[in-house]
Amino acid sequence: MLEFTAPLFLALQQTTGLNFSPFFDEYDLGRLMTGVQTSLLLILCVLAVSLVVGLLGAAAQRSRFWVLRFLVATYIAVFRNTPPVVQLLFFYFGLGAFTPQVDMGGWYEPMISSFGWAVIALGIFGGSYNVEIFRAGIEAVPKATSEATEALAFSPMQTFVHVTMPLALRFSLPALASNLISLAKTTSIAYVIAVPEMTYALSGVWNDRLNVGEMMTLLFVYYIAVVAIISVIMGQLEKRLSVPGLGK
Amino acid sequence: MTNAVSTTRTRSTVPILLGAALLLASLAIAYLATSHIAKGPDDSPLKVLGRWIPFILEGFTLNILMSVLAMILATVSGIGLGFLQISNAVIIRQPARFVTRVFRNSPWLVILFAIMLMVPFEITLPHFGTVMIPGWVKATIGFTLPVMANIAELLRGAVASIPTGQWESAESLAFSRMQTMRHVILPQCIRRMLPGWMNWFALLTLMTPIAAILGVNEALGNTQAAMESAGSSPDLLIPFYLFLMSIFFIFIYPVSVWTKRLERRFAAT
Amino acid sequence: MTTEYTEAWAPDQPIIDIRGLHKSFGTFEVLKGIDLSVHQGEVICIIGPSGSGKSTLIRTINGLTPINKGQIFIEGQLITGPKFDRLALRRRVGMVFQQYNLFPHRTVLDNVMMAPRLVLKEPKAEVRDRARALLAKVRLADKENHYPGELSGGQQQRVAIARSLCMRPDMMLFDEVTAALDPETVKEVLTTIKDLASEGMTCVLVTHEMGFAREIADRVVFTDGGRIVESGPPAQIFGDPQDARTKQFLSQVL
């Protein structure tokens, strides 16, 4: 790739002074690629964890046991009302200090890497929003619909799987899309625990090359692209699941 | 009537009780986490924390200052940007939408980096000579931009949600576009925007600790500095971070509860 | 144990037998002692002012609304005892609601097929044939791949009837099924119910359509204030009401 871009971007630097080093310097390109890969993987994992946590939380909120409901309410209150960056530090430093080390044959590494902690902390953080979103979706399903399933002798489980869930998912999608987008952007704070994602990787480049403006532009373009990709995927999903005459 | 009042009252006490319970729980956890590893009365982590609390709270006032200032700036500029977005002229509307889009789609940290690193740390003014711009002021600007874009979007959404009948009836009464906006549309928008606006204030406040990454001495920065001065013992991590989370919680939780109540009330009417 | 809850039942005995039924919501007593029995093949129309408890009454018959006091027997089985299998009851008693309550994310055919497939675990091909036959019967064969949101209220209500019938119930309950419909679609739903009644299906209807009640009912039951005030053949109730409240109600609605 470099042989195509290098002449172009070197020329750009000579004529305008704009220094897009990752497009002509192999080392910086490596950092950029690591950044993109790590960031995309981080986003993927965080979104997945947040969805699982959200679904579990929403299910627990419907539980008959008030202790469980109280725990979910507490979880939501704590994670939605404290700074995500402090949550991340708390997980990584606070809890990380007490997780066992693994013998890697000569040297020791923590059992959970900084990447792992970022996935856990941000996934749980984002999940606290998803719980509420799924709950609102479930509440939007008309009560009368479950009355009909009752009259047709559906079991509560059958009602949930075949009627409530499919409808709730459709009602949740718009809010879910915007939360997933905002969560994807929030992954950039994994910078504080040195996860080599995009922001961290490019800050390494600009510290060495002093090309802050250029790298900043790359960052903006990258995140706008990520947001666009998630919106397109969610839009497709919404279209796929759309049913004539439902909603709007 | 009395029935309705009593239900809202019970509903409002639940979150408050919950808040109190959470606070107690976090203090209890902090105590339990620290008591069994306490070495002596003077350097137990809770004692150390006690000594540093004033320093951390001092940092926290900066978080509040930044969030309040940024909110004021963001509200004013966001409403302006929102109006530009619904302008009839494409030449105004398109750039406004572009700006909104850039700041809405970029992470807070990236915008903060951009402002902190690209705005010079001193500027020369005609009458005052060279003036230093403190880091927290730049950070405040960095926090303003994403909130501004989101408030602009909030305004656009609120205006769009006003039924067209309102525009039509105002037009039939010979109101100008500006008059319709000012006397008919905006008053109805404020109500609709309020919960969202408060939500953004809470989000903003919860994001201010990222300024510590760029060396602003707010609550998180001070917490980390305090732990370092106290010898960087791992025993300190949990109580210090829990304390930091608690002060944000105490400040923000009432805002969230109030926001929720407003949302519910507006949804009901 | 079951014998305790079961009375010997033969088709000539009441298929629905309600005895001394009481129901309260909080401190408000909606039903204050209802006795009603329905025989197989009978068509019963329950009429009365709104708030008289008629919807609550019909909903107790398939256990949607739990009761406080009294007994309900369906085909000789006590359904208000603690040990009764609600699901078994609902397979035998079909119900259609005012708001149709179709599943908006499933096609018309799926709506009709879902319960027999999921609840009765019947083979797909068999259920599909039956569902198609029922859709043809309610004159909606051409709509099987449409979604409920694409149909008119009357069409949706007919799908709801087909959906209930696909469970092959022994009796049908209709809770103000035309109250939410446009006047022009009321008739098509009433025709469907009339066809059903003429085939010998036991039907209990709560309705505001007095003309229809008069035409279709074997017996009309007038309720007011949580009690059955008067009941009898339509000619008697509409032509020669005995109770002052019945007279007053009919003079208002007719």
Side-chain angles (χ1 to χ4, degrees):
Chain A
M1 186 180 129
L2 269 186
E3 55 260 43
F4 297 108
T5 56
L8 199 71
F9 281 93
L10 279 171
L12 186 72
Q13 191 188 14
Q14 260 139 33
T15 50
T16 61
L18 291 174
N19 180 5
F20 283 94
S21 57
F23 297 120
F24 55 76
D25 183 273
E26 203 166 336
Y27 183 62
D28 286 357
L29 177 65
R31 291 203 271 196
L32 173 72
M33 292 323 267
T34 314
V36 171
Q37 278 165 16
T38 313
S39 168
L40 289 180
L41 188 63
L42 180 65
I43 289 172
L44 207 65
C45 294
V46 167
L47 297 195
V49 170
S50 81
L51 286 173
V52 172
V53 170
L55 283 174
L56 290 179
Q61 263 188 337
R62 297 166 60 80
S63 158
R64 280 178 294 121
F65 305 107
W66 70 268
V67 179
L68 204 53
R69 293 199 305 270
F70 180 81
L71 284 178
V72 177
T74 311
Y75 152 63
I76 293 172
V78 168
F79 281 85
R80 288 184 67 155
N81 294 289
T82 55
V85 67
V86 182
Q87 292 169 20
L88 187 57
L89 291 168
F90 176 79
F91 273 96
Y92 182 64
F93 289 113
L95 301 184
F98 298 99
T99 52
Q101 304 270 309
V102 183
D103 189 347
M104 300 294 285
W107 78 95
Y108 287 88
E109 276 203 353
M111 200 168 70
I112 302 174
S113 63
S114 61
F115 182 88
W117 280 117
V119 170
I120 294 171
L122 292 168
I124 292 178
F125 164 72
S128 67
Y129 287 81
N130 287 347
V131 174
E132 296 266 281
I133 289 170
F134 287 133
R135 195 204 45 169
I138 290 170
E139 275 173 12
V141 178
K143 283 268 177 300
T145 314
S146 58
E147 206 162 65
T149 60
E150 220 183 317
L152 288 167
F154 282 42
S155 71
M157 194 61 189
Q158 285 169 333
T159 302
F160 190 73
V161 171
H162 295 282
V163 180
T164 311
M165 262 304 284
L167 286 172
L169 183 67
R170 287 174 172 86
F171 295 142
S172 315
L173 275 182
L176 194 62
S178 79
N179 185 43
L180 292 185
I181 285 170
S182 125
L183 188 56
K185 291 188 298 173
T186 309
T187 59
S188 65
I189 64 171
Y191 177 97
V192 293
I193 57 170
V195 176
E197 47 71 64
M198 196 64 178
T199 315
Y200 190 84
L202 291 189
S203 75
V205 175
W206 77 58
N207 279 331
D208 293 349
R209 302 252 176 191
L210 304 176
N211 51 354
V212 177
E214 293 88 333
M215 293 307 99
M216 226 27 115
T217 314
L218 270 187
L219 264 185
F220 278 117
V221 170
Y222 170 75
Y223 279 106
I224 286 175
V226 166
V227 169
I229 290 168
I230 299 177
S231 322
V232 167
I233 292 173
M234 294 303 284
Q236 285 295 323
L237 192 63
E238 220 168 307
K239 213 188 264 168
R240 252 270 180 73
L241 293 177
S242 82
V243 161
L246 177 64
K248 266 148 236 148
Chain B
M1 196 56 213
T2 45
N3 208 358
V5 169
S6 70
T7 46
T8 39
R9 196 168 296 151
T10 42
R11 215 186 256 156
S12 66
T13 52
V14 171
I16 292 162
L17 286 176
L18 183 65
L22 284 174
L23 192 64
L24 285 176
S26 60
L27 288 176
I29 290 169
Y31 179 73
L32 285 176
T34 53
S35 57
H36 72 285
I37 37 178
K39 295 175 204 89
D42 272 351
D43 51 1
S44 81
L46 271 192
K47 282 264 164 59
V48 177
L49 176 61
R51 283 201 293 277
W52 288 101
I53 279 177
F55 181 58
I56 295 172
L57 288 180
E58 192 190 303
F60 186 62
T61 55
L62 192 55
N63 291 83
I64 296 180
L65 183 67
M66 287 193 292
S67 59
V68 169
L69 278 180
M71 201 63 199
I72 294 169
L73 292 173
T75 306
V76 173
S77 55
I79 288 175
L81 187 61
F83 277 125
L84 297 183
Q85 274 199 84
I86 48 177
S87 157
N88 277 337
V90 182
I91 194 114
I92 298 174
R93 196 168 64 218
Q94 286 307 335
R97 293 217 168 147
F98 177 74
V99 170
T100 309
R101 200 173 163 158
V102 167
F103 288 124
R104 280 189 75 210
N105 290 354
S106 307
W108 296 75
L109 184 61
V110 173
I111 298 173
L112 188 69
F113 265 128
I115 299 296
M116 297 299 268
L117 301 178
M118 295 169 74
V119 172
F121 61 90
E122 51 181 31
I123 48 167
T124 311
L125 293 171
H127 293 291
F128 300 93
T130 306
V131 178
M132 294 273 288
I133 308 177
W136 69 267
V137 173
K138 286 203 281 182
T140 304
I141 297 167
F143 291 128
T144 301
L145 296 173
V147 183
M148 168 191 78
N150 281 289
I151 286 180
E153 193 59 21
L154 218 55
L155 181 83
R156 196 175 70 86
V159 171
S161 75
I162 304 288
T164 47
Q166 294 286 313
W167 286 96
E168 284 162 4
S169 58
E171 205 173 321
S172 72
L173 293 167
F175 281 36
S176 74
R177 190 179 156 84
M178 276 305 279
Q179 284 170 324
T180 311
M181 238 341 165
R182 182 160 151 23
H183 297 285
V184 181
I185 306 299
L186 263 191
Q188 300 185 55
C189 285
I190 289 170
R191 236 175 80 100
R192 286 169 205 238
M193 284 176 68
L194 195 57
W197 183 85
M198 286 168 59
N199 228 346
W200 278 104
F201 176 68
L203 275 176
L204 163 65
T205 310
L206 294 179
M207 274 302 177
T208 52
I210 61 173
I213 297 168
L214 288 132
V216 176
N217 295 321
E218 46 64 74
L220 174 59
N222 282 8
T223 303
Q224 289 176 325
M227 283 191 287
E228 214 161 287
S229 311
S232 299
S233 155
D235 303 347
L236 299 178
L237 289 162
I238 288 181
F240 271 68
Y241 280 129
L242 267 186
F243 174 74
L244 185 58
M245 281 160 81
S246 308
I247 51 179
F248 274 96
F249 184 86
I250 291 166
F251 184 65
I252 287 304
Y253 189 64
V255 178
S256 324
V257 171
W258 191 23
T259 308
K260 251 214 185 119
R261 204 172 306 159
L262 279 182
E263 265 170 10
R264 216 180 282 135
R265 193 193 311 157
F266 291 167
T269 49
Chain C
M1 279 309 279
T2 47
T3 48
E4 203 181 318
Y5 295 102
T6 311
E7 297 189 349
W9 185 74
D12 60 327
Q13 286 168 324
I15 192 166
I16 303 170
D17 196 359
I18 301 171
R19 301 175 191 170
L21 172 61
H22 286 261
K23 170 67 189 173
S24 307
F25 291 111
T27 53
F28 179 62
E29 197 172 22
V30 193
L31 300 176
K32 303 171 182 168
I34 299 276
D35 295 285
L36 179 69
S37 51
V38 180
H39 282 83
Q40 198 164 35
E42 241 189 328
V43 177
I44 306 284
C45 285
I46 304 174
I47 61 169
S50 43
S52 63
K54 48 193 196 307
S55 272
T56 309
L57 172 60
I58 200 171
R59 291 159 61 93
T60 60
I61 300 177
N62 74 341
L64 274 182
T65 301
I67 66 168
N68 299 110
K69 218 171 99 186
Q71 291 174 311
I72 301 175
F73 293 88
I74 300 288
E75 294 175 356
Q77 286 214 317
L78 180 69
I79 62 149
T80 47
K83 287 201 181 151
F84 191 76
D85 178 2
R86 274 210 158 61
L87 300 187
L89 162 71
R90 286 178 185 142
R91 286 169 204 176
R92 283 184 277 153
V93 184
M95 180 149 187
V96 184
F97 300 87
Q98 181 177 338
Q99 292 295 344
Y100 349 121
N101 299 349
L102 294 180
F103 308 129
H105 61 301
R106 293 300 195 90
T107 61
V108 164
L109 186 64
D110 278 348
N111 261 278
V112 179
M113 288 176 61
M114 248 168 112
R117 291 280 295 138
L118 289 172
V119 178
L120 305 179
K121 312 262 187 269
E122 290 181 306
K124 190 171 181 179
E126 200 183 309
V127 176
R128 199 198 295 121
D129 291 345
R130 198 163 78 226
R132 286 199 167 128
L134 284 167
L135 284 174
K137 189 170 161 184
V138 299
R139 290 178 293 281
L140 287 172
D142 53 329
K143 301 285 187 197
E144 66 170 52
N145 290 321
H146 285 61
Y147 285 90
E150 299 173 294
L151 305 184
S152 74
Q155 290 171 329
Q156 290 192 54
Q157 196 57 293
R158 284 183 281 151
V159 174
I161 294 172
R163 182 174 68 171
S164 257
L165 290 174
C166 206
M167 291 289 277
R168 286 179 292 195
D170 297 339
M171 66 207 83
M172 289 285 289
L173 310 175
F174 296 91
D175 186 5
E176 300 198 23
V177 290
T178 56
L181 298 180
D182 295 331
E184 58 265 33
T185 61
V186 167
K187 207 176 156 218
E188 61 195 32
V189 173
L190 294 183
T191 311
T192 305
I193 299 174
K194 205 158 79 185
D195 291 349
L196 209 55
S198 66
E199 285 163 22
M201 173 67 81
T202 311
C203 296
V204 179
L205 298 93
V206 168
T207 185
H208 285 129
E209 303 281 337
M210 294 305 149
F212 179 66
R214 184 175 217 159
E215 182 185 351
I216 191 182
D218 295 315
R219 192 146 49 98
V220 175
V221 174
F222 174 71
T223 59
D224 191 16
R227 289 201 173 82
I228 293 180
V229 175
E230 188 171 356
S231 78
Q236 180 199 320
I237 297 287
F238 291 108
D240 182 23
Q242 303 298 309
D243 195 279
R245 279 177 289 175
T246 319
K247 282 180 196 159
Q248 199 208 348
F249 173 73
L250 289 174
S251 72
Q252 281 167 354
V253 296
L254 288 180

